[in-house]
Amino acid sequence: GRPRSTGNHTCCRCQQLVAKIRVRWTDGSVCGVCFTQATHTYGTCPDCREHRMLPGISSATGEPICRDCAGIATELTCTRCRREAERFRAGLCMQCTLTDDLTAVLKPNEDLRLHRLIKLLTETGRPESIYTYMRPGTKARHLLEKIGNRNLALTHEAFDELPTSTAAEHLRALLIHHRMMPERGNENLARFEQWITARVASLPTDGTSHIVELFARWRHLKRIRDKAADPETNHSTAISAAKQEITEAGKLLLWLKETHDIGAEKLQQKHIDDYLSSGPSTRKHIRNFVRWLNSQPSSRTHELDTPFRKAQANPMITHMQRTELVRNCLEHQQVARSTRLAGLILLLWAHPLNKIVLLRREHLITAPDGMRLKLGATPAAVPTALTELFWQQLQNPENSNTTNAGTDWLFPGTRAGQHLHPDTLAGRLKVLGIDPQRARNATLRSLTQEVDGRTLMDLLGYSPGIIAQHASRAAAPMADYIDLKRSAPQIEENP
């Protein structure tokens, strides 16, 4: 939230200097932040044994206690629903206030879907976040007003006509997740198709846009569409890579036209060599486009080629550094539980981030003999010291108190019905000092030295080529790796 404003008053609970005292209770002066925290504390009062709001503090034990036991006279009961809660406006709690505001904006009348939407938004774990989400002047408020004025139908066609915005996609995902709008298959795929249309429209019509559209639709869209039904594939990662290749293909064709005044049909190897040597490293992503051009009709007598990027180094952390990072994940309680848990899965089993975010609740198997995590064909045993952390995440994952309630993802994202994005997770792991690539390389090196290759393939879900490559780097003296290496395909990129 907002930073605390300082002043000359001291809060008896946080002991900080504040600009204003919110209330004066039996234990002293309480600031606004501590007041809100107190009125959001619920449980069983240790004195009277009643389950209710616990805003007071016991002078004997320091435990939270109820209003009556603490002698608090402040009225903290909603005048409408009679629930104990902080009064937000005109004697109403936040939930009742939000219900009134949403009803005024959405005008549900006889539309049952809008009544469901109001109920969904008001009964979240944190209605305050929804109140902030729909405050006047925001894009979300504008969208809700359009729905209320019946200028925006709850259909995909209507949402597709809106200007691209995060607010619109969040609202669409919410409506789909809670079955107020029909699903249309893979939503990432649908947005990718729209992106292709917009990207092609931005290119010149001198043949450039036509070639890029063919490459986008026949090389990438078809492949991603064929894999759309596979729940083990991270479509967001594949789509991001496809977007980069399509973008770089367009840049190559624009450079050809501007520099040599030719199109793709007259592209020669010397042009490719010149292009790669005279620009940034992102130009290497034209490789698949150039290889695709070889399959297209042309007057060229020799096939075009671009070198794949070879890793110049194998970045890795030491065993002691890896041990310290595991300790950080276990001990840094101030870091979100989901971030610490994802870090442990990376550090202990070398599971890549784009697959960690795809883990579902069903992948965590609980049984009388222990807990197992299914990463490959054979579930891996979870160490006893970590079972409590896994169990807490299974029972109460983050981002599930508001719009993403009822999700099956083990790591839910902020958008309803979707998992956490790998890039978001990578950014969060930095708080723990984890570099995903270095950590994964170090973990694979350690595992290939300790466990035979075929067992690792079953436990981790890696291909023979990746296991053989890391075993070779680790100089693992196991005969099994030789067979794996012989049958492994050539690895072009550092995994």
Side-chain angles (χ1 to χ4, degrees), residues 373-445:
L373 182 63
K374 185 175 175 57
L375 303 175
T378 303
V382 175
T384 305
L386 306 182
T387 54
E388 180 62 26
L389 191 64
F390 275 88
W391 179 255
Q392 291 175 1
Q393 181 68 13
L394 184 65
Q395 295 299 309
N396 186 29
E398 285 96 341
N399 297 327
S400 62
N401 289 329
T402 52
T403 56
N404 209 355
T407 181
D408 291 331
W409 300 114
L410 190 60
F411 298 98
T414 55
R415 187 167 293 177
Q418 298 188 21
H419 56 72
L420 195 66
H421 195 280
D423 294 343
T424 303
L425 178 57
R428 293 180 181 180
L429 289 175
K430 291 180 180 179
V431 177
L432 294 167
I434 297 176
D435 180 301
Q437 184 183 16
R438 294 175 181 272
R440 190 163 73 97
N441 286 341
T443 303
L444 280 173
R445 177 187 61 182

Side-chain angles (χ1 to χ4, degrees), residues 242-366:
K243 284 182 177 180
Q244 187 167 35
E245 290 190 8
I246 295 167
T247 300
E248 292 300 326
K251 289 181 179 180
L252 170 63
L253 296 181
L254 291 174
W255 177 85
L256 277 177
K257 199 69 177 178
E258 179 181 348
T259 307
H260 300 284
D261 194 26
I262 59 174
E265 69 282 354
K266 295 185 179 180
L267 178 64
Q268 300 295 325
Q269 187 64 46
K270 62 180 181 180
H271 300 139
I272 295 175
D273 297 339
D274 184 22
Y275 183 72
L276 293 175
S277 63
S278 61
S281 60
T282 53
R283 291 185 174 183
K284 70 179 183 294
H285 293 291
I286 65 170
R287 175 174 170 80
N288 283 332
F289 175 62
V290 170
R291 298 179 71 179
W292 175 81
L293 284 178
N294 288 329
S295 64
Q296 306 304 304
S298 71
S299 58
R300 285 187 293 271
T301 57
H302 299 285
E303 284 194 351
L304 303 173
D305 191 25
T306 58
F308 55 77
R309 183 182 66 89
K310 293 183 178 179
Q312 300 301 314
N314 184 33
M316 195 177 299
I317 56 177
T318 65
H319 177 72
M320 291 185 61
Q321 289 173 325
R322 178 172 165 238
T323 303
E324 184 64 28
L325 291 176
V326 171
R327 185 179 292 110
N328 290 348
C329 293
L330 293 173
E331 297 178 354
H332 287 194
Q333 302 291 329
Q334 70 274 20
V335 179
R337 182 180 63 248
S338 60
T339 303
R340 294 187 289 126
L341 190 61
L344 287 170
I345 295 174
L346 172 67
L347 291 165
L348 297 180
W349 293 287
H351 212 48
L353 300 191
N354 63 338
K355 290 190 176 182
I356 289 178
V357 297
L358 287 177
L359 292 174
R360 296 179 180 270
R361 298 161 65 89
E362 64 190 35
H363 289 106
L364 195 57
I365 304 168
T366 57

Side-chain angles (χ1 to χ4, degrees), residues 468-483:
Q469 186 181 42
H470 282 275
S472 175
R473 290 171 177 171
M478 299 183 185
D480 224 10
Y481 287 121
I482 299 175
D483 294 334

